[in-house]
Amino acid sequence: MSTLKAPELLLPAGSLDKMRAAYDFGADAVYAGQPRYSLRARNNEFRLEQIRQGIEEAHARGKKFFVTSNLIAHNDKIRTYLRDIEPVIDLKPDALIMADAGLIMMVKEKWPEVPVHLSVQANTTNWAAVKFWQKMGVARIILSRELSLDEIEKIRQECPDIELEVFVHGALCIAYSGRCLLSGYFNHRDPNQGTCTNACRWNYATHDAEVDPTTGEAIAQKMEGDFNFEAAQQKAEQSFSTTGNGERHPKADQVYLIEELGRPGQRMPIMEDEHGTYIMNSKDLRAVEHVARLAQIGVDSLKIEGRTKSLYYVARTAQVYRRAIDDAVAGRPFNPELLLELEGLSNRGYTGGLLERRPSNDYQNYLNGHSATQRSQFAGEVLGAEGQDTVGLAGDWVQVETKNHFAVGDLLEVVHPSGNVQLRLERMHDAHGQPVAVAQGNPVRVWIPLPARYAGALLARVVEQPAAAATSLKQQAARLQEVVDGFQFAAPNAALPSPR
């Protein structure tokens, strides 16, 4: 029988509705932040009143609510910080998530009893740093995303009496755990003040350049000829002898300029490899297959990124990772279906990040800079059966507010805390009770046949694959099963501390 203690499942909350969905689908805690002092100033509804309501609802459900206050402060923020954080502390959140050493010092001096969790922004990568912050009164360390599973295990061995938190899903930053200056450099929107514009996701094009011999700066030149970087590199690599004295292509050491698609004429010096234009666009982290190992190590909290993501994203990730945690604690083998379920979320391609050491091209998405989905699409929210009589519908019908279009004949998945079901949509009526074939994603409201007990569920339209693609998916599932066989771990090493 397994003796593992379940790690906390921690979900993002960009709104009260997303907070509720996180709890409904299995989260133990959520994190949200005041826009002025967290790294999500945009798409964040949590002002003081919403934080109050969130904390009250969380505690009424026996859940936790953490307030994110993790910006890297300039002097102007120092001046107002204690004044603005005091009413938040009075609401008794379960912890503050902080990164700035000065702000942490100020909070611990005035409110020594307030739990502080050290943000991933602080870039904690070793056990000595963990011990340092523990001496400063920090209750939990959110470890850097740049750590491997073995490094996390070593930190737990050296630091058995402090809480550790690890990111397991969501967007990855091309910079060191989010400490990026791209957005600030390009358009004066500082990522470390909560206003990142995701410049790493933009589409760039390269331009030939020369270097001014006086200043050393790049000079823009029109790209001429049929030079192909990939072909040239391949030819250059083939020309190298085993002793390393082959010729290097004359273009290999030139400076090149990039031009972002939305900023024509603004060219910046940079190098690009042979893969394409999305040179800074990281894939998304997915570590659901490592949940059992992290639980065995004794990690206290598994964190999902995405305060600006959709309600559907919050519900689906909570549901999938809840199942992974429960399976690990019960001693059940990892279910590869969980990997496929996460493919139904919009993503930039998935990677295990640096938890495993992989070839560099595993981390990088060279195809596009936006999220895409191949298996399903968020279609709508089930509002319930109220008002059914007024439109003349009898039996089991519920009203749906659409998010993306779907039609009669589509295969839909009903995503609900009690369990998910699939149905083939055979009938549909508009808000006035008239038959319709297509529900537009404006949003509009439509009625579909479904029992009222599914009120509050989310609808996903399943992207059905042609026969060849379906066969490919079966082959993929078989390959995943082979991979999963490598993720079955023995009982925790006796030398390790008991999971907290």
PDB file of all heavy atoms in Angstrom, residues 75-108:
ATOM      1  N   ASN A  75      11.907  51.894  -6.678  1.00  0.00           N
ATOM      2  CA  ASN A  75      11.709  52.752  -5.508  1.00  0.00           C
ATOM      3  C   ASN A  75      10.273  53.240  -5.371  1.00  0.00           C
ATOM      4  O   ASN A  75       9.748  53.352  -4.255  1.00  0.00           O
ATOM      5  CB  ASN A  75      12.650  53.958  -5.570  1.00  0.00           C
ATOM      6  CG  ASN A  75      14.098  53.553  -5.308  1.00  0.00           C
ATOM      7  OD1 ASN A  75      14.366  52.561  -4.646  1.00  0.00           O
ATOM      8  ND2 ASN A  75      15.023  54.329  -5.844  1.00  0.00           N
ATOM      9  N   ASP A  76       9.624  53.514  -6.506  1.00  0.00           N
ATOM     10  CA  ASP A  76       8.258  54.031  -6.453  1.00  0.00           C
ATOM     11  C   ASP A  76       7.313  53.040  -5.802  1.00  0.00           C
ATOM     12  O   ASP A  76       6.396  53.427  -5.068  1.00  0.00           O
ATOM     13  CB  ASP A  76       7.795  54.376  -7.879  1.00  0.00           C
ATOM     14  CG  ASP A  76       6.395  54.950  -7.889  1.00  0.00           C
ATOM     15  OD1 ASP A  76       6.191  56.009  -7.261  1.00  0.00           O
ATOM     16  OD2 ASP A  76       5.496  54.345  -8.509  1.00  0.00           O
ATOM     17  N   LYS A  77       7.517  51.739  -6.062  1.00  0.00           N
ATOM     18  CA  LYS A  77       6.656  50.720  -5.452  1.00  0.00           C
ATOM     19  C   LYS A  77       6.984  50.537  -3.964  1.00  0.00           C
ATOM     20  O   LYS A  77       6.094  50.222  -3.170  1.00  0.00           O
ATOM     21  CB  LYS A  77       6.804  49.397  -6.204  1.00  0.00           C
ATOM     22  CG  LYS A  77       6.363  49.457  -7.679  1.00  0.00           C
ATOM     23  CD  LYS A  77       4.876  49.524  -7.819  1.00  0.00           C
ATOM     24  CE  LYS A  77       4.443  49.646  -9.278  1.00  0.00           C
ATOM     25  NZ  LYS A  77       4.724  48.465 -10.084  1.00  0.00           N
ATOM     26  N   ILE A  78       8.228  50.715  -3.597  1.00  0.00           N
ATOM     27  CA  ILE A  78       8.615  50.618  -2.183  1.00  0.00           C
ATOM     28  C   ILE A  78       7.835  51.644  -1.355  1.00  0.00           C
ATOM     29  O   ILE A  78       7.374  51.374  -0.243  1.00  0.00           O
ATOM     30  CB  ILE A  78      10.132  50.852  -2.012  1.00  0.00           C
ATOM     31  CG1 ILE A  78      10.932  49.718  -2.664  1.00  0.00           C
ATOM     32  CG2 ILE A  78      10.499  51.008  -0.541  1.00  0.00           C
ATOM     33  CD1 ILE A  78      10.878  48.411  -1.927  1.00  0.00           C
ATOM     34  N   ARG A  79       7.681  52.824  -1.914  1.00  0.00           N
ATOM     35  CA  ARG A  79       7.032  53.932  -1.196  1.00  0.00           C
ATOM     36  C   ARG A  79       5.595  53.603  -0.813  1.00  0.00           C
ATOM     37  O   ARG A  79       5.111  54.019   0.247  1.00  0.00           O
ATOM     38  CB  ARG A  79       7.079  55.175  -2.091  1.00  0.00           C
ATOM     39  CG  ARG A  79       6.423  56.419  -1.528  1.00  0.00           C
ATOM     40  CD  ARG A  79       6.641  57.607  -2.461  1.00  0.00           C
ATOM     41  NE  ARG A  79       6.169  57.315  -3.814  1.00  0.00           N
ATOM     42  CZ  ARG A  79       4.894  57.440  -4.200  1.00  0.00           C
ATOM     43  NH1 ARG A  79       3.986  57.837  -3.335  1.00  0.00           N
ATOM     44  NH2 ARG A  79       4.543  57.170  -5.448  1.00  0.00           N
ATOM     45  N   THR A  80       4.892  52.847  -1.656  1.00  0.00           N
ATOM     46  CA  THR A  80       3.466  52.582  -1.418  1.00  0.00           C
ATOM     47  C   THR A  80       3.160  51.166  -0.949  1.00  0.00           C
ATOM     48  O   THR A  80       2.019  50.851  -0.617  1.00  0.00           O
ATOM     49  CB  THR A  80       2.678  52.836  -2.720  1.00  0.00           C
ATOM     50  OG1 THR A  80       3.174  51.951  -3.748  1.00  0.00           O
ATOM     51  CG2 THR A  80       2.835  54.282  -3.177  1.00  0.00           C
ATOM     52  N   TYR A  81       4.168  50.307  -0.904  1.00  0.00           N
ATOM     53  CA  TYR A  81       3.887  48.883  -0.751  1.00  0.00           C
ATOM     54  C   TYR A  81       3.227  48.535   0.585  1.00  0.00           C
ATOM     55  O   TYR A  81       2.169  47.878   0.612  1.00  0.00           O
ATOM     56  CB  TYR A  81       5.160  48.065  -0.917  1.00  0.00           C
ATOM     57  CG  TYR A  81       4.898  46.574  -0.862  1.00  0.00           C
ATOM     58  CD1 TYR A  81       4.278  45.930  -1.922  1.00  0.00           C
ATOM     59  CD2 TYR A  81       5.215  45.823   0.263  1.00  0.00           C
ATOM     60  CE1 TYR A  81       3.996  44.579  -1.881  1.00  0.00           C
ATOM     61  CE2 TYR A  81       4.945  44.473   0.315  1.00  0.00           C
ATOM     62  CZ  TYR A  81       4.331  43.853  -0.750  1.00  0.00           C
ATOM     63  OH  TYR A  81       4.045  42.519  -0.692  1.00  0.00           O
ATOM     64  N   LEU A  82       3.817  48.938   1.684  1.00  0.00           N
ATOM     65  CA  LEU A  82       3.257  48.558   2.983  1.00  0.00           C
ATOM     66  C   LEU A  82       1.847  49.107   3.163  1.00  0.00           C
ATOM     67  O   LEU A  82       0.973  48.432   3.725  1.00  0.00           O
ATOM     68  CB  LEU A  82       4.166  49.046   4.111  1.00  0.00           C
ATOM     69  CG  LEU A  82       5.519  48.330   4.243  1.00  0.00           C
ATOM     70  CD1 LEU A  82       6.299  48.879   5.430  1.00  0.00           C
ATOM     71  CD2 LEU A  82       5.337  46.829   4.384  1.00  0.00           C
ATOM     72  N   ARG A  83       1.617  50.312   2.669  1.00  0.00           N
ATOM     73  CA  ARG A  83       0.272  50.897   2.756  1.00  0.00           C
ATOM     74  C   ARG A  83      -0.743  50.045   2.004  1.00  0.00           C
ATOM     75  O   ARG A  83      -1.865  49.811   2.490  1.00  0.00           O
ATOM     76  CB  ARG A  83       0.309  52.311   2.173  1.00  0.00           C
ATOM     77  CG  ARG A  83      -1.044  53.026   2.161  1.00  0.00           C
ATOM     78  CD  ARG A  83      -1.017  54.180   1.169  1.00  0.00           C
ATOM     79  NE  ARG A  83      -0.985  53.699  -0.216  1.00  0.00           N
ATOM     80  CZ  ARG A  83      -0.700  54.471  -1.255  1.00  0.00           C
ATOM     81  NH1 ARG A  83      -0.372  55.746  -1.083  1.00  0.00           N
ATOM     82  NH2 ARG A  83      -0.714  53.961  -2.483  1.00  0.00           N
ATOM     83  N   ASP A  84      -0.364  49.576   0.819  1.00  0.00           N
ATOM     84  CA  ASP A  84      -1.309  48.851  -0.020  1.00  0.00           C
ATOM     85  C   ASP A  84      -1.458  47.380   0.355  1.00  0.00           C
ATOM     86  O   ASP A  84      -2.503  46.772   0.085  1.00  0.00           O
ATOM     87  CB  ASP A  84      -0.878  48.955  -1.485  1.00  0.00           C
ATOM     88  CG  ASP A  84      -1.034  50.366  -2.035  1.00  0.00           C
ATOM     89  OD1 ASP A  84      -1.698  51.182  -1.369  1.00  0.00           O
ATOM     90  OD2 ASP A  84      -0.485  50.658  -3.108  1.00  0.00           O
ATOM     91  N   ILE A  85      -0.427  46.801   0.949  1.00  0.00           N
ATOM     92  CA  ILE A  85      -0.516  45.383   1.283  1.00  0.00           C
ATOM     93  C   ILE A  85      -1.191  45.164   2.636  1.00  0.00           C
ATOM     94  O   ILE A  85      -1.720  44.072   2.906  1.00  0.00           O
ATOM     95  CB  ILE A  85       0.888  44.719   1.263  1.00  0.00           C
ATOM     96  CG1 ILE A  85       0.761  43.193   1.067  1.00  0.00           C
ATOM     97  CG2 ILE A  85       1.656  45.014   2.540  1.00  0.00           C
ATOM     98  CD1 ILE A  85       0.230  42.771  -0.260  1.00  0.00           C
ATOM     99  N   GLU A  86      -1.225  46.178   3.480  1.00  0.00           N
ATOM    100  CA  GLU A  86      -1.811  46.014   4.820  1.00  0.00           C
ATOM    101  C   GLU A  86      -3.268  45.571   4.775  1.00  0.00           C
ATOM    102  O   GLU A  86      -3.644  44.610   5.478  1.00  0.00           O
ATOM    103  CB  GLU A  86      -1.669  47.304   5.631  1.00  0.00           C
ATOM    104  CG  GLU A  86      -2.179  47.163   7.062  1.00  0.00           C
ATOM    105  CD  GLU A  86      -1.772  48.312   7.960  1.00  0.00           C
ATOM    106  OE1 GLU A  86      -1.318  49.349   7.444  1.00  0.00           O
ATOM    107  OE2 GLU A  86      -1.893  48.161   9.187  1.00  0.00           O
ATOM    108  N   PRO A  87      -4.155  46.200   3.979  1.00  0.00           N
ATOM    109  CA  PRO A  87      -5.543  45.706   3.943  1.00  0.00           C
ATOM    110  C   PRO A  87      -5.663  44.293   3.378  1.00  0.00           C
ATOM    111  O   PRO A  87      -6.602  43.569   3.714  1.00  0.00           O
ATOM    112  CB  PRO A  87      -6.261  46.737   3.062  1.00  0.00           C
ATOM    113  CG  PRO A  87      -5.193  47.424   2.288  1.00  0.00           C
ATOM    114  CD  PRO A  87      -3.991  47.416   3.162  1.00  0.00           C
ATOM    115  N   VAL A  88      -4.726  43.881   2.526  1.00  0.00           N
ATOM    116  CA  VAL A  88      -4.727  42.507   2.017  1.00  0.00           C
ATOM    117  C   VAL A  88      -4.371  41.543   3.140  1.00  0.00           C
ATOM    118  O   VAL A  88      -5.024  40.505   3.335  1.00  0.00           O
ATOM    119  CB  VAL A  88      -3.746  42.364   0.838  1.00  0.00           C
ATOM    120  CG1 VAL A  88      -3.652  40.899   0.397  1.00  0.00           C
ATOM    121  CG2 VAL A  88      -4.170  43.240  -0.326  1.00  0.00           C
ATOM    122  N   ILE A  89      -3.349  41.878   3.908  1.00  0.00           N
ATOM    123  CA  ILE A  89      -2.944  41.024   5.032  1.00  0.00           C
ATOM    124  C   ILE A  89      -4.057  40.920   6.068  1.00  0.00           C
ATOM    125  O   ILE A  89      -4.270  39.858   6.674  1.00  0.00           O
ATOM    126  CB  ILE A  89      -1.639  41.555   5.639  1.00  0.00           C
ATOM    127  CG1 ILE A  89      -0.478  41.312   4.666  1.00  0.00           C
ATOM    128  CG2 ILE A  89      -1.348  40.907   6.994  1.00  0.00           C
ATOM    129  CD1 ILE A  89       0.842  41.879   5.104  1.00  0.00           C
ATOM    130  N   ASP A  90      -4.804  42.001   6.250  1.00  0.00           N
ATOM    131  CA  ASP A  90      -5.921  41.974   7.199  1.00  0.00           C
ATOM    132  C   ASP A  90      -6.983  40.950   6.805  1.00  0.00           C
ATOM    133  O   ASP A  90      -7.741  40.474   7.656  1.00  0.00           O
ATOM    134  CB  ASP A  90      -6.563  43.357   7.292  1.00  0.00           C
ATOM    135  CG  ASP A  90      -5.690  44.371   8.021  1.00  0.00           C
ATOM    136  OD1 ASP A  90      -4.752  43.949   8.736  1.00  0.00           O
ATOM    137  OD2 ASP A  90      -5.935  45.586   7.869  1.00  0.00           O
ATOM    138  N   LEU A  91      -7.040  40.596   5.520  1.00  0.00           N
ATOM    139  CA  LEU A  91      -8.013  39.610   5.045  1.00  0.00           C
ATOM    140  C   LEU A  91      -7.578  38.172   5.341  1.00  0.00           C
ATOM    141  O   LEU A  91      -8.331  37.237   5.092  1.00  0.00           O
ATOM    142  CB  LEU A  91      -8.234  39.775   3.542  1.00  0.00           C
ATOM    143  CG  LEU A  91      -8.793  41.128   3.091  1.00  0.00           C
ATOM    144  CD1 LEU A  91      -8.861  41.204   1.570  1.00  0.00           C
ATOM    145  CD2 LEU A  91     -10.168  41.378   3.703  1.00  0.00           C
ATOM    146  N   LYS A  92      -6.361  38.003   5.825  1.00  0.00           N
ATOM    147  CA  LYS A  92      -5.802  36.705   6.232  1.00  0.00           C
ATOM    148  C   LYS A  92      -5.700  35.704   5.074  1.00  0.00           C
ATOM    149  O   LYS A  92      -6.256  34.593   5.130  1.00  0.00           O
ATOM    150  CB  LYS A  92      -6.580  36.110   7.395  1.00  0.00           C
ATOM    151  CG  LYS A  92      -6.584  37.002   8.639  1.00  0.00           C
ATOM    152  CD  LYS A  92      -7.111  36.288   9.851  1.00  0.00           C
ATOM    153  CE  LYS A  92      -7.151  37.227  11.045  1.00  0.00           C
ATOM    154  NZ  LYS A  92      -5.876  37.908  11.314  1.00  0.00           N
ATOM    155  N   PRO A  93      -4.984  36.065   4.014  1.00  0.00           N
ATOM    156  CA  PRO A  93      -4.673  35.053   2.989  1.00  0.00           C
ATOM    157  C   PRO A  93      -3.783  33.982   3.590  1.00  0.00           C
ATOM    158  O   PRO A  93      -3.131  34.200   4.634  1.00  0.00           O
ATOM    159  CB  PRO A  93      -3.934  35.866   1.915  1.00  0.00           C
ATOM    160  CG  PRO A  93      -3.310  36.993   2.669  1.00  0.00           C
ATOM    161  CD  PRO A  93      -4.288  37.347   3.763  1.00  0.00           C
ATOM    162  N   ASP A  94      -3.721  32.839   2.957  1.00  0.00           N
ATOM    163  CA  ASP A  94      -2.940  31.734   3.508  1.00  0.00           C
ATOM    164  C   ASP A  94      -1.441  31.951   3.335  1.00  0.00           C
ATOM    165  O   ASP A  94      -0.650  31.329   4.054  1.00  0.00           O
ATOM    166  CB  ASP A  94      -3.376  30.425   2.857  1.00  0.00           C
ATOM    167  CG  ASP A  94      -4.798  30.063   3.254  1.00  0.00           C
ATOM    168  OD1 ASP A  94      -4.980  29.561   4.372  1.00  0.00           O
ATOM    169  OD2 ASP A  94      -5.726  30.330   2.473  1.00  0.00           O
ATOM    170  N   ALA A  95      -1.044  32.803   2.411  1.00  0.00           N
ATOM    171  CA  ALA A  95       0.369  33.167   2.252  1.00  0.00           C
ATOM    172  C   ALA A  95       0.469  34.292   1.238  1.00  0.00           C
ATOM    173  O   ALA A  95      -0.438  34.504   0.420  1.00  0.00           O
ATOM    174  CB  ALA A  95       1.213  31.980   1.799  1.00  0.00           C
ATOM    175  N   LEU A  96       1.587  35.019   1.290  1.00  0.00           N
ATOM    176  CA  LEU A  96       1.954  35.959   0.239  1.00  0.00           C
ATOM    177  C   LEU A  96       3.055  35.309  -0.589  1.00  0.00           C
ATOM    178  O   LEU A  96       4.003  34.735  -0.035  1.00  0.00           O
ATOM    179  CB  LEU A  96       2.481  37.267   0.821  1.00  0.00           C
ATOM    180  CG  LEU A  96       1.526  38.128   1.654  1.00  0.00           C
ATOM    181  CD1 LEU A  96       2.257  39.386   2.142  1.00  0.00           C
ATOM    182  CD2 LEU A  96       0.288  38.505   0.861  1.00  0.00           C
ATOM    183  N   ILE A  97       2.933  35.389  -1.915  1.00  0.00           N
ATOM    184  CA  ILE A  97       3.984  34.900  -2.811  1.00  0.00           C
ATOM    185  C   ILE A  97       4.818  36.109  -3.212  1.00  0.00           C
ATOM    186  O   ILE A  97       4.323  37.024  -3.869  1.00  0.00           O
ATOM    187  CB  ILE A  97       3.385  34.210  -4.049  1.00  0.00           C
ATOM    188  CG1 ILE A  97       2.532  33.012  -3.619  1.00  0.00           C
ATOM    189  CG2 ILE A  97       4.487  33.752  -5.003  1.00  0.00           C
ATOM    190  CD1 ILE A  97       1.773  32.355  -4.768  1.00  0.00           C
ATOM    191  N   MET A  98       6.099  36.135  -2.829  1.00  0.00           N
ATOM    192  CA  MET A  98       6.936  37.315  -2.987  1.00  0.00           C
ATOM    193  C   MET A  98       8.285  36.952  -3.600  1.00  0.00           C
ATOM    194  O   MET A  98       8.752  35.822  -3.473  1.00  0.00           O
ATOM    195  CB  MET A  98       7.147  38.008  -1.641  1.00  0.00           C
ATOM    196  CG  MET A  98       5.859  38.362  -0.905  1.00  0.00           C
ATOM    197  SD  MET A  98       6.160  39.207   0.666  1.00  0.00           S
ATOM    198  CE  MET A  98       6.824  40.779   0.077  1.00  0.00           C
ATOM    199  N   ALA A  99       8.919  37.945  -4.252  1.00  0.00           N
ATOM    200  CA  ALA A  99      10.216  37.717  -4.885  1.00  0.00           C
ATOM    201  C   ALA A  99      11.270  38.712  -4.458  1.00  0.00           C
ATOM    202  O   ALA A  99      12.457  38.399  -4.436  1.00  0.00           O
ATOM    203  CB  ALA A  99      10.074  37.757  -6.414  1.00  0.00           C
ATOM    204  N   ASP A 100      10.868  39.950  -4.152  1.00  0.00           N
ATOM    205  CA  ASP A 100      11.813  41.018  -3.875  1.00  0.00           C
ATOM    206  C   ASP A 100      12.315  40.926  -2.429  1.00  0.00           C
ATOM    207  O   ASP A 100      11.528  40.951  -1.477  1.00  0.00           O
ATOM    208  CB  ASP A 100      11.130  42.366  -4.114  1.00  0.00           C
ATOM    209  CG  ASP A 100      12.094  43.525  -4.056  1.00  0.00           C
ATOM    210  OD1 ASP A 100      12.541  43.872  -2.943  1.00  0.00           O
ATOM    211  OD2 ASP A 100      12.416  44.091  -5.124  1.00  0.00           O
ATOM    212  N   ALA A 101      13.634  40.837  -2.259  1.00  0.00           N
ATOM    213  CA  ALA A 101      14.206  40.656  -0.920  1.00  0.00           C
ATOM    214  C   ALA A 101      13.854  41.820   0.004  1.00  0.00           C
ATOM    215  O   ALA A 101      13.575  41.617   1.196  1.00  0.00           O
ATOM    216  CB  ALA A 101      15.728  40.514  -1.026  1.00  0.00           C
ATOM    217  N   GLY A 102      13.856  43.044  -0.526  1.00  0.00           N
ATOM    218  CA  GLY A 102      13.523  44.196   0.302  1.00  0.00           C
ATOM    219  C   GLY A 102      12.090  44.171   0.778  1.00  0.00           C
ATOM    220  O   GLY A 102      11.798  44.447   1.952  1.00  0.00           O
ATOM    221  N   LEU A 103      11.160  43.830  -0.109  1.00  0.00           N
ATOM    222  CA  LEU A 103       9.761  43.756   0.288  1.00  0.00           C
ATOM    223  C   LEU A 103       9.526  42.638   1.297  1.00  0.00           C
ATOM    224  O   LEU A 103       8.741  42.783   2.237  1.00  0.00           O
ATOM    225  CB  LEU A 103       8.872  43.551  -0.945  1.00  0.00           C
ATOM    226  CG  LEU A 103       8.851  44.675  -1.987  1.00  0.00           C
ATOM    227  CD1 LEU A 103       7.847  44.347  -3.083  1.00  0.00           C
ATOM    228  CD2 LEU A 103       8.540  46.016  -1.357  1.00  0.00           C
ATOM    229  N   ILE A 104      10.205  41.514   1.092  1.00  0.00           N
ATOM    230  CA  ILE A 104      10.087  40.409   2.055  1.00  0.00           C
ATOM    231  C   ILE A 104      10.561  40.863   3.426  1.00  0.00           C
ATOM    232  O   ILE A 104       9.913  40.606   4.456  1.00  0.00           O
ATOM    233  CB  ILE A 104      10.885  39.182   1.568  1.00  0.00           C
ATOM    234  CG1 ILE A 104      10.220  38.584   0.322  1.00  0.00           C
ATOM    235  CG2 ILE A 104      10.984  38.127   2.676  1.00  0.00           C
ATOM    236  CD1 ILE A 104      11.020  37.477  -0.326  1.00  0.00           C
ATOM    237  N   MET A 105      11.691  41.556   3.476  1.00  0.00           N
ATOM    238  CA  MET A 105      12.208  42.060   4.750  1.00  0.00           C
ATOM    239  C   MET A 105      11.184  42.970   5.428  1.00  0.00           C
ATOM    240  O   MET A 105      10.917  42.855   6.635  1.00  0.00           O
ATOM    241  CB  MET A 105      13.509  42.820   4.507  1.00  0.00           C
ATOM    242  CG  MET A 105      14.083  43.496   5.753  1.00  0.00           C
ATOM    243  SD  MET A 105      15.480  44.572   5.362  1.00  0.00           S
ATOM    244  CE  MET A 105      14.626  45.925   4.500  1.00  0.00           C
ATOM    245  N   MET A 106      10.586  43.882   4.664  1.00  0.00           N
ATOM    246  CA  MET A 106       9.631  44.830   5.231  1.00  0.00           C
ATOM    247  C   MET A 106       8.396  44.118   5.774  1.00  0.00           C
ATOM    248  O   MET A 106       7.892  44.449   6.856  1.00  0.00           O
ATOM    249  CB  MET A 106       9.242  45.854   4.158  1.00  0.00           C
ATOM    250  CG  MET A 106      10.389  46.768   3.751  1.00  0.00           C
ATOM    251  SD  MET A 106      10.082  47.666   2.198  1.00  0.00           S
ATOM    252  CE  MET A 106       8.696  48.701   2.663  1.00  0.00           C
ATOM    253  N   VAL A 107       7.894  43.122   5.029  1.00  0.00           N
ATOM    254  CA  VAL A 107       6.716  42.377   5.479  1.00  0.00           C
ATOM    255  C   VAL A 107       7.033  41.587   6.744  1.00  0.00           C
ATOM    256  O   VAL A 107       6.261  41.592   7.719  1.00  0.00           O
ATOM    257  CB  VAL A 107       6.202  41.450   4.362  1.00  0.00           C
ATOM    258  CG1 VAL A 107       5.211  40.421   4.912  1.00  0.00           C
ATOM    259  CG2 VAL A 107       5.541  42.276   3.263  1.00  0.00           C
ATOM    260  N   LYS A 108       8.168  40.896   6.766  1.00  0.00           N
ATOM    261  CA  LYS A 108       8.503  40.055   7.923  1.00  0.00           C
ATOM    262  C   LYS A 108       8.788  40.897   9.162  1.00  0.00           C
ATOM    263  O   LYS A 108       8.534  40.458  10.289  1.00  0.00           O
ATOM    264  CB  LYS A 108       9.695  39.158   7.603  1.00  0.00           C
ATOM    265  CG  LYS A 108       9.453  38.137   6.502  1.00  0.00           C
ATOM    266  CD  LYS A 108       8.239  37.251   6.771  1.00  0.00           C
ATOM    267  CE  LYS A 108       8.415  36.301   7.912  1.00  0.00           C
ATOM    268  NZ  LYS A 108       7.249  35.405   8.093  1.00  0.00           N
TER     269      LYS A 108
END
